[in-house]
Amino acid sequence: ITLQWKALEEFIKDIFCDTVNLTNINEKLKIQNQKLSWQWSLNNPPDLILRDGDAIEVKKLGSETSISLNSSHPKDKIYSNDSRILPACRNCENWTVKDMIYAIGVVKEDSISNLWLIYGDCFAAERDIYDRTFNSITNAFTTNSQLKFSPTNELWRVNNVDPLGITYFRIRGMWWIEHPSKVFDYLPIAKEGDFVVNVLMLKSKYLSFPIEDRNTLEALSSRDTKILEVEIKSPNNPVRLLEAVLITFTR
C-alpha cells in the first residue's frame, strides 16, 4: 500500500476514522473531529485517542527490528495519571484508563509492507513491573550524596555539576521492546506477501465489540483473511496462557 504524501501516522488515523478514500479535506477533518478526542504530540503518548474508545500509539520502522519507545515504557493500558500524559490529553475526555493499541508499521520507499495492530495487554506487562525497575535505578542514583539530583520524567537530572552551579547532566532512560513478529513467532502469523497485516487482541476484547461488527468482519474470512482463536503467553506470567484472537491478512 503506497503512502504517497501521507505519513504512517496519517494513514493509521484514516484507518480508524474510515477516511482513507476521502479527498475532501474539510469533510475528512469533520469526520476525524467526531471520531477522535486526541491527536498526537511529538514526544508524549498516546498518538491518538478514539472518542470514548481506545488509545493508539504509532511506531514506524524500516524493518522488523526492536521498537524504540524512547523514555516511555511499554504499556498494557494507558492511565490518565501518568506523568507523561499532557494536560490537554488528560482532559480531552473524562477518563482514567484506556486500552492501548500499538500500530507498528514497516515502511519502505513510502510503502507499508507490514502492519501490526496489537493491544498492549497482549504485549506489555502491568505498569508496576516497569515502574519498579525505573524506581530502583533512580533510587540507586540518590545514594551518592555528593551529587545534587532533581526528579524528572527521565531517570534523574544532576544539578550544579560545575563550581558555578550552571551545568546540569540529564540521565535519560531508553526503553525498547522486541517486534511482535519475534514475540509471537509461535503463532500462525501472516509473514509472506506484498502487504501483511496482523491484528492481535484478547478474546474478551474481541467479544466486547458489537455483534454487527464481528459478523461483518467474520464474513470477510477467506484465503487471504483469517480469524483465529489462539492462546498467548501472559505478559505477566509466561506459564499462564490467555485466550486471544488473531486476525491476519495478506495480499
Side-chain angles (χ1 to χ4, degrees):
I1 288 188
T2 302
L3 294 182
Q4 298 177 356
W5 61 271
K6 291 185 179 181
L8 176 64
E9 292 87 347
E10 290 290 337
F11 183 69
I12 295 299
K13 184 167 64 172
D14 279 338
I15 289 174
F16 281 94
C17 293
D18 195 22
T19 54
V20 172
N21 296 317
L22 279 181
T23 56
N24 186 305
I25 299 300
N26 289 332
E27 185 178 355
K28 183 190 290 267
L29 292 175
K30 182 177 179 180
I31 293 174
Q32 291 176 350
N33 179 68
Q34 293 171 346
K35 294 190 176 183
L36 299 173
S37 63
W38 170 255
Q39 182 172 317
W40 54 74
S41 60
L42 184 61
N43 296 315
N44 300 80
D47 291 323
L48 299 168
I49 291 181
L50 303 177
R51 191 175 300 278
D52 299 319
D54 301 333
I56 304 167
E57 183 76 2
V58 182
K59 294 296 179 184
K60 182 170 66 175
L61 307 173
S63 61
E64 293 184 9
T65 56
S66 299
I67 302 159
S68 170
L69 302 177
N70 298 317
S71 59
S72 182
H73 63 67
K75 299 183 184 302
D76 61 333
K77 298 179 184 295
I78 194 159
Y79 298 85
S80 62
N81 63 359
D82 188 328
S83 62
R84 294 171 181 81
I85 300 294
L86 293 178
C89 179
R90 186 176 293 113
N91 298 320
C92 70
E93 293 182 22
N94 183 17
W95 68 285
T96 55
V97 60
K98 285 182 175 289
D99 290 339
M100 182 78 155
I101 302 171
Y102 283 96
I104 305 165
V106 174
V107 179
K108 297 180 179 179
E109 299 179 355
D110 295 330
S111 295
I112 305 174
S113 61
N114 184 301
L115 178 64
W116 273 84
L117 299 172
I118 179 171
Y119 274 87
D121 53 8
C122 295
F123 197 34
E126 296 174 348
R127 66 172 178 172
D128 286 350
I129 291 177
Y130 304 106
D131 286 343
R132 280 201 304 269
T133 298
F134 185 91
N135 292 335
S136 294
I137 295 172
T138 57
N139 290 338
F141 282 125
T142 60
T143 60
N144 189 333
S145 60
Q146 295 179 342
L147 301 178
K148 296 182 179 180
F149 292 93
S150 293
T152 69
N153 280 334
E154 299 178 342
L155 286 174
W156 277 99
R157 192 177 86 171
V158 183
N159 297 320
N160 303 333
V161 173
D162 54 2
L164 289 178
I166 60 175
T167 304
Y168 59 87
F169 177 59
R170 293 169 59 189
I171 304 170
R172 184 184 182 192
M174 181 67 75
W175 294 90
W176 292 76
I177 193 168
E178 296 287 2
H179 192 277
S181 295
K182 182 175 182 179
V183 177
F184 298 101
D185 59 0
Y186 58 90
L187 296 181
I189 59 177
K191 297 179 181 178
E192 301 297 330
D194 293 332
F195 179 53
V196 174
V197 179
N198 287 284
V199 182
L200 185 64
M201 68 189 77
L202 294 181
K203 184 177 180 179
S204 57
K205 181 65 178 182
Y206 182 75
L207 294 176
S208 74
F209 295 131
I211 183 64
E212 296 84 1
D213 293 343
R214 285 184 276 135
N215 287 340
T216 299
L217 179 61
E218 290 164 10
L220 298 175
S221 183
S222 64
R223 184 183 68 178
D224 297 332
T225 304
K226 296 182 175 63
I227 303 172
L228 305 170
E229 293 191 12
V230 296
E231 291 184 319
I232 63 173
K233 300 174 185 177
S234 167
N236 299 302
N237 181 3
V239 297
R240 180 189 173 205
L241 298 179
L242 303 177
E243 291 184 324
V245 173
L246 172 67
I247 304 167
T248 66
F249 172 81
T250 56
R251 192 179 72 181

